[in-house]
Amino acid sequence: MAERKPIIRASELGEYDFCARAWWLRRECGWEGRFPERLAQGEAAHQRYGQDLQQSQWLRTVAIGLLVLAALALVLA
């Protein structure tokens, strides 16, 4: 069976660019750094942002649909 290549996330590229040694320690040694609570807060903030973004995209789609329906009703009236 072929060996799976590790996935490197975009956020890891930024971490590597900032400090390659810290990236290596975290990835290879499981080191969490001095401020794991700040990391958890940042991850939670990114999760909330992603949810807000999905909701805004859904609301935009609904708004466009309603505009199309209104235009169609105006044309038919």
Side-chain angles (χ1 to χ4, degrees), residues 2-57:
E3 185 177 331
R4 297 182 79 186
K5 293 182 179 180
I7 295 173
I8 297 176
R9 294 177 173 81
S11 60
E12 288 185 80
L13 295 176
E15 183 181 357
Y16 181 87
D17 187 46
F18 181 73
C19 180
R21 184 69 170 168
W23 175 84
W24 180 83
L25 285 168
R26 179 179 162 104
R27 186 164 178 93
E28 298 300 322
C29 303
W31 179 71
E32 286 299 320
R34 295 184 300 180
F35 305 105
E37 65 281 350
R38 288 183 64 195
L39 180 62
Q41 290 172 351
E43 289 174 347
H46 278 274
Q47 183 70 24
R48 285 190 305 273
Y49 175 76
Q51 290 169 349
D52 290 347
L53 184 60
Q54 282 183 329
Q55 183 180 14
S56 69
Q57 289 171 337

